Amino acid sequence: MRNESQRPYSNQTFLEPHIYPDAFSGTLWALDGIKDGLVLLNGPTGCKFYHASVSNSQYCRGTSYNPAQIDEEFYFRQNRIPCTYLDGNDFVYGSEEKLRKALQTTVTDQHGFVAVVNSPGAALIGDNLEGVLEDELHDTPWLAMENTGFSEPFYTGFQKAALALLHCLQIPKQPTRARTVNLIGFSIYQKHHEGNIRELTRLLSLAGIQVISTPMAACACLDLIKSPSAALNVLIAPESGHEIAQWYSDHHQIPCLELPIPIGFDATEHWIKQICEQIGGNPESALEAINYARAVSFQHLHSFNALSGFPKGTFYGIKAEYSLARGLYHFLTPYLGMLPSVIAFYEEPDPILLRTFREELAEKALEGCLTEVESAPFHLLFSDGNTIAHHKARGTIFAGVEVCLPSLGYTDVIPKATMGCQGALYLIEHVINGLKFFCK
Amino acid sequence: MQVGCDPKHDSTRQLLNGHPSVTVLEYLRQVTPDQYSFEDIVSIGYAGVACVEAGGPEPGVGCAGRGILSTFSLLESLGVRTQNYDLILYDVLGDVVCGGFAVPIRNEYADVVYIVTSGEFMSIYSANNILRGVTHFNNSKHRIGGLIFNQRNIEGENERVERFANAVGLPILARIPRSNEFAIAERLGKTLIDCLPDSSVTGLMRELAVKITDSPKRYEANPLSESELEQVVLGKVVNRPHSFLNQQTEAFEKPLIKSTRLATSKLKRIVSKNVLYQEPLHGCAYCGAVSVSSQVSDAIVISHGPRSCAHMAYNAVTSAGRRLYNERGILLPNQVQPNIVSTDKDENIMVFGGTELLKSKIEECKKRKPSAIFVISACTSGIIGDELQALKETDDIPVIPIETDGDIAGDYMQGALMANSEIALNLVDSQVNPNPMLVNIIGERSFYKNAEDNFKAVEKLLIQLGLRINCRYLSNTPVSQIREMKKANLNIQAFTDYKGRMLRNFFEQNFNMPFFDMPFPVGFFETAVFVRKLGERFHIDKERVETLLSAETERYFERVGQLKQTLKDRRIVIILYNRDIDWLLEIIQHLEMTLVKVCVMNSCSEDHFHSRYLEDTPVEMHYEMRGKESQIRAWKPDILLSTYNASEFGDEFFTDSIPYSPDNGMFGVLDIAERWAEIFDNSLHEGWKADEKYFNWYFGTFKK
């Protein structure tokens, strides 16, 4: 397998890894993950087009580019993240005039909040965003993100923005509603966030538990305002939600349950049982759904395995966010008997989290696979479209499974999931189809 | 020439009889780039001194340092170095607070730096800061001329300044006393020399002028640490080894007006449409430059900015590549694994400057032995004044800065133009002799998914004519091919729109390269003329050319005949941003359809609309589509073609979209028309359009 997957192809002698977004993008996509907020970028259109495009394709709230419907000025025919289209003159003279006009033009009384976010360049010129917002907005809650953090980690910006918004909304304390949760740690920049939220909401609903909000990921301001009534916060991924959960704990005394990400049947079962135990749900129906999914899984894996012996013993690589990577490992290796050849992260995880994962891998003598994706061969690569295409162009023979953004461009009409029963089946489907080529 | 570099813009006021001149920054705001003229920003004052004021924003807003950068950039682009001034004096703020204000003391501008100080601690502190600033710009070259002591008649000032001068090893070139004569001159709006030519202070000024123009010595900048400075200025003598009496100096050369940035000054004249018309910028120059330069297959592109900028540019480059792989299984190396790296500027770098970080990134990249390194700057680099030009290298691995400064240089197109021109100016070998049967392809757009197919279609035509392609500028192109670009006997452009015209002007003016008059052809007429003209240009046997065309022509009109049965007399309305639509008007004419109206909306990338069918075409320019539904309905179209396939009309009539980049050759257009015919022949409708109300209910921002 090693020889087969290492065919030299490219005439390029040096290869650069995919460049992951930083705190600036994290800020924009956190705030624009709220359905009825207005995120106004105080910056050039060069910082707007990409973010607005990703935002609406990940979380649809209308159409873009229709010259009959969407304004050119500030929106530039995109329906999300209007901007002040700063240029060289504005960097010298300041952006106040444009910012005022943009606010006057774009804000409506239907917006649940207005956030003005400085681009990296605008952050250096020191415009008084708060002064302008105070002048222009009287009834709508607002927040100003003067400096989102230059090259800081994506989720640092994401969580900073989340806390700023939660603070700005001045959410009142509320009585706790039994058997309710908030799911914390989702982001619209997670490839399958919509399908994952749906799947986890479905399973919880089977257990009689209601999801009140998914802060910063495809929810409305009203959901956030109701969020303090949840009996429990369930932390999906510490890197993207730890500080948000802490805020709820500090300000609204909501306990936080941090569980391994529900990827795979065992993890999903554990996840639903723990939540039920904590707030009194009945897991039976959810467990039945999981068992049915296990049956479907067995049916297909058995057919595949009977003729090929696969997937046991095949290699996989992962380049993803920490929690997703760890969750995939805990599903693919114990359940499918696959071996990780490489596990890499977009951003260096918190040292404590990394140590935990390293220890888990060390139990199977697999800690050596915590290395860069370039360094090992694999039959399957779980990653983003850039990383998959990058390795394809090198001539490596493998099947790519897209679990992160950016995508290769396939349009998912039916939302896919990587979590819960549907997620486990989705991953198994890709494992089986991806390994067929290697069956001799 | 005297250039005032203070937002107060009062440096040259007395030279101009007390009248303020127009500032460069006001000028940049008010005048379009094609109208820029050196004479407009220069006022001639006392004794023939040319006066320029940078100006700046109101106190407390914007970024005055960025303004200084913009001023110097304009002066460069207007050829200040070619004006043969005896001397250019930059009058700079004492507080070197950021990279922008430090621009005038960079090596490429100031040959000698004179520091004016008075005897207060804070003034001496600023003087010391200027020395610290100079050390950041290649301090191996001695450039300090000395101190000019502006006396204030305060106690102990002489001793303080002398102790400082001694500690930093600099001479005090002049001691200008406090004098009411300055106030008199100022009241009269004149310089001291003009107003009071015989006064003693005037004499001191004359002596200083002689020292500046004839002084034989320049000194190294040896700033003190803050604690040393306090010790020195507050009275404690510090024994530093370097006194100006024994400091090594360099012989003074008459300041030369150098032309080290010719390349930049040339490229600034190539401006995008957004920049030319001062329109809102679409995209940023940085991203345009990254996209173009990443097409050089064996080079590394360094993004000098925060990681977010590199992330956006990287995905802009790979977007079409990923989709092409997903949809067709085609892998274009430069578009799925572009060699883009980022300096990841962080908070510290923003405050303390990023030139050192960039230097180390360049060294790191050199170890990978690329054929060239392109350095492209994001907004933040332009605002804090990171110096890129000083890092330019022409050795084994050329290092080529492209100073886009995010969108400060302009929009996406401006960056693409800058990258195209800088890469050519720095890599193309002018001495290469042409080979008669070689052609270059210029200006393909890799972000169009049919770019590679279109190239192949044209390549096939060229091969049939016996021609070979020398260099694709720039599409997965190695540096070696760029160097030998002039081997081609002819240059063929993929597009001759605004950007294409700019590129052609650039190559004609700078490399005297011959261009073919037509772009990649679309449709019947263009393809036939393209082949015939190429045949004439390369003296290819006419019969061979006509044979090549005749079979295709027959096939084309046969298909047109079939389509006419369905499409003849169909009423068609076109609403679009595109400007080159003769391929569309041609097929409409060949099919004898009824063209009711062509509505041209404003485009961010093109300012011309031209057509060989113009006389027969009912055109409305600057069309705004909002609120025009009833007008469009009144035209009673059978087909509404638009750049964006609007859903407003539901299933009332057939609507279709117009591709930005149609397939090249005769038959791509016919494929489109064939689809229309199929739709009419089968009376196809689109039931899904009636579901928009549900979409708005479930997915509209405020609907649920």
Side-chain angles (χ1 to χ4, degrees):
Chain A
M1 183 261 166
R2 281 170 192 270
N3 289 338
E4 194 175 32
S5 64
Q6 291 290 292
R7 288 181 191 164
Y9 166 78
S10 174
N11 59 356
Q12 292 173 300
T13 52
F14 32 85
L15 294 162
E16 305 303 338
H18 157 49
I19 298 170
Y20 192 67
D22 72 6
F24 173 54
S25 302
T27 302
L28 286 170
W29 287 325
L31 296 168
D32 209 44
I34 306 302
K35 185 173 188 173
D36 47 354
L38 176 77
V39 181
L40 175 63
L41 171 66
N42 189 39
T45 57
C47 296
K48 168 202 161 49
F49 291 147
Y50 171 73
H51 288 107
S53 169
V54 170
S55 182
N56 201 52
S57 67
Q58 280 296 105
Y59 179 30
C60 180
R61 284 149 292 179
T63 55
S64 276
Y65 309 115
N66 186 348
Q69 285 183 353
I70 303 172
D71 285 326
E72 174 70 13
E73 191 171 29
F74 305 118
Y75 279 99
F76 295 87
R77 311 275 189 226
Q78 292 179 301
N79 68 339
R80 303 301 307 176
I81 313 186
C83 86
T84 50
Y85 58 93
L86 300 188
D87 58 23
N89 272 333
D90 301 313
F91 286 129
V92 175
Y93 287 98
S95 61
E96 185 178 325
E97 202 180 317
K98 271 187 181 169
L99 182 56
R100 283 186 191 280
K101 194 177 168 203
L103 288 167
Q104 289 157 9
T105 309
T106 58
V107 178
T108 72
D109 57 8
Q110 290 180 294
H111 285 119
F113 71 91
V114 174
V116 176
V117 179
N118 266 340
S119 71
L124 293 176
I125 65 172
D127 279 331
N128 180 11
L129 302 185
E130 294 196 354
V132 174
L133 280 159
E134 209 164 85
D135 273 3
E136 297 293 334
L137 302 181
H138 305 294
D139 303 319
T140 313
W142 56 260
L143 67 151
M145 301 299 291
E146 302 242 358
N147 181 356
T148 59
F150 305 103
S151 303
E152 282 186 32
F154 178 87
Y155 282 119
T156 302
F158 180 88
Q159 296 203 69
K160 210 164 94 178
L163 299 189
L165 177 62
L166 291 168
H167 175 75
C168 141
L169 291 176
Q170 296 183 336
I171 304 172
K173 292 197 187 304
Q174 295 156 46
T176 301
R177 291 165 58 194
R179 290 185 296 284
T180 56
V181 295
N182 297 312
L183 300 180
I184 294 182
F186 280 116
S187 147
I188 61 168
Y189 192 63
Q190 292 157 356
K191 182 170 168 60
H192 296 304
H193 73 92
E194 185 186 355
N196 285 334
I197 290 171
R198 277 191 194 196
E199 170 66 357
L200 297 186
T201 304
R202 180 182 76 91
L203 290 171
L204 288 167
S205 165
L206 288 173
I209 295 167
Q210 188 196 344
V211 176
I212 291 185
S213 79
T214 51
M216 317 320 288
C219 72
C221 277
L222 194 58
D223 300 326
L224 285 182
I225 288 165
K226 289 178 189 163
S227 63
S229 63
L232 181 69
N233 279 335
V234 181
L235 184 58
I236 298 293
E239 69 270 25
S240 53
H242 183 267
E243 288 171 40
I244 300 171
Q246 189 63 49
W247 184 90
Y248 277 104
S249 170
D250 294 345
H251 292 80
H252 295 278
Q253 291 72 51
I254 302 179
C256 173
L257 185 60
E258 185 177 344
L259 296 168
I261 192 167
I263 290 179
F265 302 118
D266 292 344
T268 304
E269 213 172 284
H270 177 70
W271 190 81
I272 200 85
K273 279 180 180 169
Q274 289 295 308
I275 296 169
C276 287
E277 195 179 307
Q278 190 91 4
I279 55 172
N282 178 357
E284 287 312 313
S285 299
L287 294 177
E288 196 179 319
I290 295 169
N291 289 341
Y292 178 75
R294 283 179 184 273
V296 173
S297 157
F298 179 84
Q299 174 202 350
H300 290 282
L301 283 169
H302 179 262
S303 302
F304 180 56
N305 177 265
L307 296 174
S308 66
F310 283 3
K312 187 177 183 182
T314 53
F315 289 90
Y316 62 89
I318 300 172
K319 180 145 190 178
E321 290 148 355
Y322 166 83
S323 293
L324 177 57
R326 184 171 167 224
L328 285 169
Y329 162 74
H330 281 293
F331 176 48
L332 298 173
T333 294
Y335 188 73
L336 296 174
M338 297 172 70
L339 281 166
S341 57
V342 56
I343 297 176
F345 313 110
Y346 292 128
E347 290 180 315
E348 186 72 15
D350 176 272
I352 297 168
L353 296 176
L354 183 60
R355 195 174 63 224
T356 307
F357 192 17
R358 193 184 295 280
E359 284 166 5
E360 289 166 357
L361 288 164
E363 286 171 19
K364 306 267 181 195
L366 291 170
E367 68 274 26
C369 69
L370 282 176
T371 179
E372 258 313 306
V373 180
E374 311 295 334
S375 56
F378 33 73
H379 295 96
L380 289 168
L381 174 60
F382 295 83
S383 193
D384 60 275
N386 272 333
T387 307
I388 290 167
H390 173 106
H391 283 272
K392 289 282 180 189
R394 293 182 73 186
T396 314
I397 296 172
F398 68 96
V401 185
E402 288 182 65
V403 289
C404 300
L405 291 177
S407 80
L408 286 167
Y410 185 85
T411 301
D412 288 303
V413 175
I414 299 170
K416 312 295 189 301
T418 47
M419 298 179 195
C421 316
Q422 295 302 314
L425 293 176
Y426 174 80
L427 292 169
I428 286 166
E429 180 178 308
H430 278 274
V431 167
I432 291 172
N433 286 292
L435 291 176
K436 278 181 179 171
F437 172 83
F438 297 99
C439 300
K440 305 291 184 211
Chain B
M1 167 178 268
Q2 180 162 324
V3 183
C5 304
D6 186 329
K8 291 200 302 288
H9 59 88
D10 60 350
S11 174
T12 61
R13 185 182 280 261
Q14 312 318 5
L15 286 166
L16 297 169
N17 287 327
H19 301 301
S21 58
V22 63
T23 68
V24 173
L25 292 170
E26 277 303 316
Y27 183 77
L28 284 170
R29 275 181 127 182
Q30 290 164 10
V31 179
T32 58
D34 59 322
Q35 302 295 319
Y36 289 166
S37 152
F38 192 71
E39 288 69 31
D40 289 349
I41 53 169
V42 174
S43 307
I44 303 301
Y46 171 72
V49 175
C51 302
V52 174
E53 288 286 352
E58 290 292 312
V61 294
C63 178
R66 178 58 236 170
I68 303 295
L69 283 157
S70 302
T71 300
F72 275 69
S73 175
L74 182 70
L75 288 171
E76 283 291 317
S77 68
L78 295 177
V80 66
R81 293 169 192 274
T82 61
Q83 299 286 327
N84 294 322
Y85 291 112
D86 300 310
L87 187 139
I88 301 179
L89 177 68
Y90 300 110
D91 182 7
V92 184
L93 268 177
D95 289 319
V96 184
V97 289
C98 68
F101 283 115
V103 171
I105 62 174
R106 289 177 179 178
N107 293 326
E108 66 210 84
Y109 296 111
D111 295 284
V112 195
V113 177
Y114 295 93
I115 303 168
V116 181
T117 184
S118 56
E120 297 97 328
F121 176 75
M122 286 320 294
S123 180
I124 295 170
Y125 184 91
S126 296
N128 191 55
N129 268 357
I130 293 170
L131 293 176
R132 290 169 68 182
V134 170
T135 60
H136 293 133
F137 303 112
N138 188 11
N139 196 34
S140 60
K141 198 175 162 198
H142 296 184
R143 291 195 298 136
I144 307 297
L147 301 176
I148 297 165
F149 181 12
N150 185 26
Q151 293 176 317
R152 305 281 299 271
N153 283 352
I154 54 173
E155 192 182 339
E157 63 178 356
N158 287 321
E159 292 77 9
R160 279 194 292 276
V161 172
E162 281 162 10
R163 283 200 296 273
F164 174 68
N166 191 43
V168 296
L170 292 174
I172 299 171
L173 296 177
R175 293 163 192 261
I176 310 296
R178 187 179 178 88
S179 166
N180 201 36
E181 290 172 2
F182 290 106
I184 294 168
E186 192 171 54
R187 206 164 47 241
L188 296 173
K190 292 187 171 189
T191 64
L192 191 68
I193 288 175
D194 187 16
C195 177
L196 300 164
D198 300 322
S199 86
S200 59
V201 184
T202 299
L204 292 172
M205 289 291 185
R206 287 187 200 281
E207 283 172 25
L208 176 61
V210 170
K211 282 181 184 169
I212 285 174
T213 49
D214 293 348
S215 169
K217 289 181 180 173
R218 286 178 294 168
Y219 302 86
E220 189 182 356
N222 281 311
L224 304 179
S225 68
E226 288 202 16
S227 57
E228 285 174 329
L229 186 70
E230 280 186 22
Q231 284 180 326
V232 167
V233 176
L234 299 177
K236 293 175 187 171
V237 178
V238 175
N239 293 322
R240 284 170 65 94
H242 44 267
S243 155
F244 78 87
L245 297 173
N246 55 19
Q247 185 184 322
Q248 283 200 334
T249 61
E250 287 183 358
F252 181 81
E253 298 157 18
K254 186 96 175 158
L256 293 175
I257 310 299
K258 294 166 291 196
S259 293
T260 54
R261 298 181 75 187
L262 255 186
T264 304
S265 60
K266 275 182 187 173
L267 76 91
K268 288 283 167 67
R269 291 189 195 111
I270 312 173
V271 291
S272 70
K273 177 178 170 279
N274 280 177
V275 173
L276 178 65
Y277 295 109
Q278 297 188 319
E279 297 166 335
L281 302 175
H282 284 68
C284 69
Y286 156 84
C287 191
V290 171
S291 295
V292 167
S293 51
S294 65
Q295 286 296 324
V296 181
S297 58
D298 48 357
I300 291 181
V301 179
I302 300 178
S303 159
H304 188 42
R307 196 173 76 207
S308 48
C309 301
H311 167 75
M312 284 184 272
Y314 190 100
N315 282 300
V317 172
T318 62
S319 175
R322 278 180 273 126
R323 284 159 212 279
L324 204 58
Y325 167 64
N326 182 53
E327 292 158 21
R328 294 285 178 273
I330 298 167
L331 282 160
L332 300 176
N334 278 75
Q335 281 177 254
V336 293
Q337 47 183 22
N339 292 315
I340 301 170
V341 298
S342 170
T343 54
D344 286 1
K345 289 174 72 173
D346 62 15
E347 186 84 32
N348 269 336
I349 296 294
M350 295 304 173
V351 176
F352 296 108
T355 310
E356 288 305 315
L357 171 72
L358 181 54
K359 273 184 199 165
S360 68
K361 196 74 182 179
I362 289 171
E363 291 310 312
E364 184 189 315
C365 289
K366 277 183 179 175
K367 288 177 191 156
R368 284 177 256 176
K369 309 269 184 226
S371 299
I373 293 172
F374 306 119
V375 180
I376 301 172
S377 52
C379 295
T380 51
S381 305
I383 293 166
I384 68 173
D386 284 344
E387 193 185 21
L388 267 65
Q389 284 301 325
L391 305 179
K392 181 172 173 173
E393 290 179 35
T394 51
D395 302 337
D396 295 354
I397 302 174
V399 177
I400 300 167
I402 303 171
E403 284 184 293
T404 49
D405 296 342
D407 80 337
I408 292 170
D411 61 336
Y412 182 96
M413 188 200 286
Q414 181 65 36
L417 290 167
M418 288 171 76
N420 273 299
S421 51
E422 278 292 6
I423 290 169
L425 286 167
N426 286 286
L427 293 179
V428 174
D429 183 350
S430 300
Q431 305 305 315
V432 172
N433 293 321
N435 175 321
M437 299 306 274
L438 288 181
V439 297
N440 290 329
I441 303 297
I442 309 283
E444 291 171 82
R445 303 210 178 131
S446 49
F447 50 80
Y448 289 135
K449 282 193 279 188
N450 59 355
E452 206 55 28
D453 285 346
N454 279 344
F455 166 74
K456 282 179 183 155
V458 171
E459 185 186 35
K460 188 178 159 194
L461 275 177
L462 296 172
I463 289 170
Q464 285 172 324
L465 293 169
L467 301 170
R468 280 188 301 125
I469 289 166
N470 173 56
C471 172
R472 292 170 73 182
Y473 193 86
L474 287 162
S475 183
N476 194 20
T477 314
V479 166
S480 58
Q481 281 186 14
I482 298 170
R483 291 196 191 282
E484 299 203 328
M485 250 187 109
K486 290 203 74 179
K487 257 189 181 173
N489 192 20
L490 187 68
N491 294 279
I492 300 173
Q493 293 182 274
F495 301 90
T496 52
D497 55 4
Y498 183 95
K499 184 178 157 199
R501 295 193 296 278
M502 288 291 118
L503 280 179
R504 177 175 176 161
N505 288 345
F506 166 78
F507 279 110
E508 284 177 340
Q509 284 170 15
N510 291 279
F511 295 98
N512 201 23
M513 283 163 50
F515 270 74
F516 192 51
D517 281 334
M518 292 183 69
F520 282 8
V522 186
F524 172 78
F525 177 82
E526 282 185 12
T527 307
V529 175
F530 183 86
V531 173
R532 287 194 181 106
K533 278 193 169 182
L534 267 183
E536 279 170 28
R537 175 69 172 67
F538 287 96
H539 311 294
I540 293 161
D541 180 32
K542 241 183 176 173
E543 207 176 309
R544 183 179 172 186
V545 171
E546 291 307 319
T547 309
L548 180 69
L549 284 174
S550 61
E552 304 281 277
T553 305
E554 199 177 314
R555 202 150 62 89
Y556 176 85
F557 281 105
E558 192 185 323
R559 283 175 68 181
V560 165
Q562 288 164 1
L563 292 172
K564 220 190 280 184
Q565 292 170 22
T566 301
L567 297 174
K568 188 180 173 190
D569 296 329
R570 297 276 185 187
R571 292 170 64 81
I572 190 162
V573 170
I574 301 173
I575 302 174
L576 76 179
Y577 295 111
N578 319 36
R579 303 306 168 100
D580 289 321
I581 56 162
D582 273 355
W583 56 275
L584 187 56
L585 300 179
E586 176 184 81
I587 191 68
I588 289 167
Q589 194 179 67
H590 284 170
L591 294 169
E592 297 178 36
M593 298 172 79
T594 304
L595 182 60
V596 181
K597 195 83 177 171
V598 174
C599 303
V600 183
M601 296 187 287
N602 288 335
S603 158
C604 64
S605 57
E606 180 57 294
D607 59 351
H608 285 189
F609 178 78
H610 53 84
S611 168
R612 58 180 180 275
Y613 300 100
L614 212 52
E615 279 183 16
D616 310 318
T617 307
V619 180
E620 184 172 338
M621 298 298 292
H622 310 297
Y623 190 75
E624 262 296 331
M625 207 171 162
R626 279 200 96 150
K628 298 287 175 63
E629 287 88 345
S630 56
Q631 182 185 52
I632 294 166
R633 281 192 184 94
W635 286 329
K636 296 183 178 161
D638 294 307
I639 306 179
L640 170 64
L641 290 180
S642 61
T643 316
Y644 182 92
N645 195 5
S647 58
E648 280 69 27
F649 304 104
D651 214 13
E652 292 173 55
F653 41 79
F654 168 36
T655 61
D656 206 1
S657 61
I658 305 166
Y660 269 109
S661 172
D663 290 345
N664 289 144
M666 283 186 187
F667 298 104
V669 185
L670 277 180
D671 293 342
I672 294 173
E674 248 163 27
R675 214 180 114 251
W676 300 343
E678 289 289 346
I679 289 163
F680 282 113
D681 281 345
N682 294 290
S683 301
L684 296 177
H685 292 277
E686 299 163 284
W688 63 269
K689 286 189 173 174
D691 292 339
E692 189 171 8
K693 55 184 179 292
Y694 301 118
F695 169 76
N696 289 334
W697 174 256
Y698 286 106
F699 292 101
T701 304
F702 303 117
K703 295 288 166 60
K704 195 184 177 195

